[in-house]
Amino acid sequence: MPVPLPPAKAAPLSARRDRGLRGGLKPPGDKSISHRAFIFGLLTTGETEVEGLLEGDDVLRTGKACAALGAAIKRLAPGTWKIRGPGIGALAPPTDALDFGNAGTGARLMMGVVGSHGITATFDGDASLRKRPMRRILDPLRLMGAQVLAEAEGGRCPIALKGARDPAPILYRTPVASAQIKSAVLLAGLNARGLTTVIEAEASRDHTEKMLAHFGADVRVAAEGEGRRIELLGRPELAPKPVVVPADPSSAAFPIVAALIAPDSDVLVEGVMLNPLRTGLIATLIEMGADLAVINRRREGGEEVGDIRVRTSGLRGVEVPASRAPSMIDEYPILAVAAAFASGTTRMRGLDELRVKESDRLAAVAAGLAAAGVPSAVEGDDLIVEGGAPMGGGTVATHMDHRVAMSFLVMGLATREPMTVDDASMIATSYPDFRPAMERLGATFE
Ligand code: S3P
C-alpha cells in the first residue's frame, strides 16, 4: 500500500470573505469508520472490500500498521480498497515501530488489537500524539494481561506493548464517554475466551459495535441507565463483508457552518451520515436558528444518511448541555465559530475531554477567538462565546490540529478582515480535499 507522506512543513493559509458559497459537495468518508475498516479487514480471514474510504493521512497510517501486522492491502481505485487479513489470533509481530502520525484513534484502537495478541509492538506518532494520554487504554489492557514494556512520562507514546498470550475477558466501565476506550477493549476482547463487557455511563459513537455485528460477531448492546452495556463473545470467526463508508459528519460540519455564516450562501452537503450518536452539532445549529434542512434520507452502509441544505442564517446564542458532548465531541471548534456570529451568548458545557484532543482544543479555540476579536471565556470545563459580527484579521496557532485549522479558515470566509492559520498542513489528516472542495463552492483562500 502507498506510504503516507510525512507531514509537510508548516503551511500558512488565509481565508477571506468574498462571494456567497453555492453548489453541492460530498464530504470525504467517515474517519472513524475508515480506521475500523482497515482494522476489521486485518481481523477477518479473507478479503474485505471497502468503498468510500477516507484517504487521509490518519487512516492511511492505520492501514500501514495493519499491513505491518500481516494484512495484504491494495488500493483498487480512489476510495476502494481490498484487505486480505490473517484473522483473529494470527497476527504477525511487526518488525518496526508503528507510527500513527497525528492519529489518536488509530493508535488507541490498534493498542487494543495488539493487547490481546501475544505480540509486541511499539506505538508512536507525531509531537501532538506524543502528548496525548494513553493510560486510559493501557489500564484495561493490563487487566486483560497485556504488559507495558516501555512508555514515555505519564503513559505517553512511544509505548512498547506486549499483548497477552491468553487474554482474560473483562467487565470494564469506561471512566469517560470515549468510543476509543470502548473500542480498544472490545477489539482486544475479540481474542479473549468468553464474554468481554463494556459499560459506558453515556453512549459514545457505536461504529465498533455495528461493525462487529456486520462481520458476524456475537455482540449485544443494551441500554443501561443513561448509557449502554455492550457484551461481546470472544474468538468469533469474522466473515468478510463489504464496507461502504458514508460521508463524515465531522467533516461536513465545516461546509455547513461556512454556508450558515458566509453571506448569500446556499449549499447542499450530500450523503452525510446521520448516526444519532454523531448529530449533536446539527441539533445545536437548528436550536440556534439555522436554515438547515435534511432531505433525501436513505440508508448507506448500515447507516442513515441524508443531504443537508444550508442557507445563510441569522443565528442566536444557546446553551449546549454537557450530555450532548459525546455526540459532537469533534465539532466544538466549528460550533464556537458559528457562535461567534450568533446574537447573544453561547455556553458549551462539560468540555473537559477537549483538552486531550489533537491539541488542547479549549485553549486553542479560545486563543483563536481572541485573535478574531471575539470575546470568550473558559469557566471550569465550559466555553462561553459572545457572538456578534467578528472583525477577524488575526492569525491563529493551530497546534497541529486539523479541526482548529479548518474552523478558523471557515471563520475567515465571513469575518470583515481575513483570518490566517499558521499551518494548514494537518488538514490532510482528515479532509485532504478541503481547500479545492471549498473553492468549488466559491471560497477564497490565499
Ligand atoms: C473517535 C472517538 C472520539 C473522537 C475521535 C474519533 C473514534 O474520541 O474524538 O475523533 O473513532 O472512536 P474519544 O473516544 O477520545 O472521545
Side-chain angles (χ1 to χ4, degrees):
M1 62 170 295
V3 177
L5 296 170
K9 53 180 186 342
L13 190 64
S14 301
R16 72 177 162 81
R17 188 161 81 181
D18 198 352
R19 58 213 145 115
L21 304 178
R22 296 199 161 241
L25 93 168
K26 183 165 186 201
D30 185 68
K31 184 149 77 74
S32 292
I33 297 179
S34 296
H35 280 295
R36 288 161 173 81
F38 273 138
I39 295 172
F40 275 92
L42 168 73
L43 295 174
T44 302
T45 313
E47 237 163 49
T48 297
E49 211 170 292
V50 186
E51 230 181 85
L53 185 97
L54 163 64
E55 296 178 344
D57 189 68
D58 274 17
V59 171
L60 295 180
R61 285 179 188 263
T62 293
K64 217 184 150 207
C66 289
L69 297 185
I73 298 180
K74 217 170 146 186
R75 181 180 195 248
L76 306 178
T80 305
W81 293 65
K82 202 186 258 179
I83 306 134
R84 174 179 284 281
I88 297 166
L91 307 189
T95 47
D96 298 314
L98 306 176
D99 181 354
F100 288 93
N102 196 246
T105 307
R108 290 179 171 143
L109 269 52
M110 290 301 286
M111 284 180 191
V113 171
V114 167
S116 67
H117 266 87
I119 55 175
T120 298
T122 298
F123 292 79
D124 204 358
D126 67 14
S128 153
L129 190 67
R130 281 181 170 204
K131 284 190 199 149
R132 301 183 66 184
M134 296 295 168
R135 288 225 169 111
R136 52 177 61 196
I137 305 296
L138 302 176
D139 288 345
L141 295 180
R142 279 198 188 95
L143 295 175
M144 298 179 83
Q147 283 172 267
V148 178
L149 304 180
E151 62 181 20
E153 210 191 315
R156 293 186 157 73
C157 286
I159 288 169
L161 182 67
K162 184 173 183 214
R165 214 161 267 293
D166 189 13
I170 57 170
L171 182 152
Y172 197 70
R173 288 177 195 274
T174 55
V176 282
S178 159
Q180 293 179 356
I181 303 176
K182 168 177 67 181
S183 301
V185 175
L186 292 173
L187 290 169
L190 277 175
N191 199 32
R193 263 186 263 264
L195 203 65
T196 294
T197 305
V198 180
I199 298 171
E200 45 182 9
E202 287 170 282
S204 65
R205 66 189 67 191
D206 58 359
H207 308 302
T208 300
E209 298 91 299
K210 284 185 143 179
M211 289 175 84
L212 281 167
H214 180 63
F215 280 83
D218 186 351
V219 58
R220 284 174 207 169
V221 182
E224 177 143 326
E226 301 288 296
R228 287 183 174 181
R229 176 190 193 95
I230 304 113
E231 294 177 337
L232 169 69
L233 196 58
R235 306 238 168 131
E237 184 71 45
L238 298 183
K241 279 279 156 63
V243 176
V244 179
V245 186
D248 194 329
S250 299
S251 296
F254 300 105
I256 288 173
V257 171
L260 289 174
I261 62 176
D264 195 30
S265 298
D266 185 349
V267 167
L268 189 69
V269 187
E270 292 160 31
V272 181
M273 175 164 60
L274 298 171
N275 179 314
L277 294 168
R278 299 287 300 279
T279 48
L281 177 74
I282 303 290
T284 304
L285 292 174
I286 289 171
E287 286 173 10
M288 294 173 83
D291 181 352
L292 182 159
V294 181
I295 54 179
N296 193 14
R297 287 180 187 261
R298 55 203 186 266
R299 287 196 82 78
E300 216 177 77
E303 294 284 0
E304 190 182 354
V305 303
D307 304 332
I308 302 181
R309 181 163 184 197
V310 203
R311 281 176 273 209
T312 309
S313 306
L315 302 173
R316 52 181 178 271
V318 292
E319 189 162 317
V320 188
S323 59
R324 200 175 287 165
S327 68
M328 55 178 298
I329 193 66
D330 293 333
E331 280 68 83
Y332 285 101
I334 192 65
L335 176 62
V337 167
F341 291 86
S343 59
T345 307
T346 294
R347 186 176 196 115
M348 302 163 224
R349 292 189 182 275
L351 305 190
D352 46 327
E353 275 295 298
L354 287 200
R355 295 197 169 93
V356 291
K357 293 294 175 188
E358 285 83 331
S359 66
D360 174 346
R361 281 190 180 152
L362 260 188
V365 168
L369 292 170
V374 178
S376 77
V378 176
E379 280 177 17
D381 294 331
D382 298 353
L383 176 64
I384 300 129
V385 180
E386 296 298 336
M391 177 56 100
T395 297
V396 177
T398 53
H399 301 284
M400 303 184 76
D401 189 321
H402 53 131
R403 298 199 201 280
V404 172
M406 287 186 276
S407 296
F408 286 99
L409 287 171
V410 164
M411 183 179 220
L413 300 175
T415 43
R416 277 173 279 168
E417 297 295 328
M419 288 297 293
T420 301
V421 300
D422 66 343
D423 182 13
S425 65
M426 282 298 154
I427 293 173
T429 62
S430 69
Y431 200 157
D433 203 28
F434 174 76
R435 182 178 177 174
M438 294 298 293
E439 282 173 343
R440 281 193 291 274
L441 297 179
T444 303
F445 299 108
E446 48 217 17

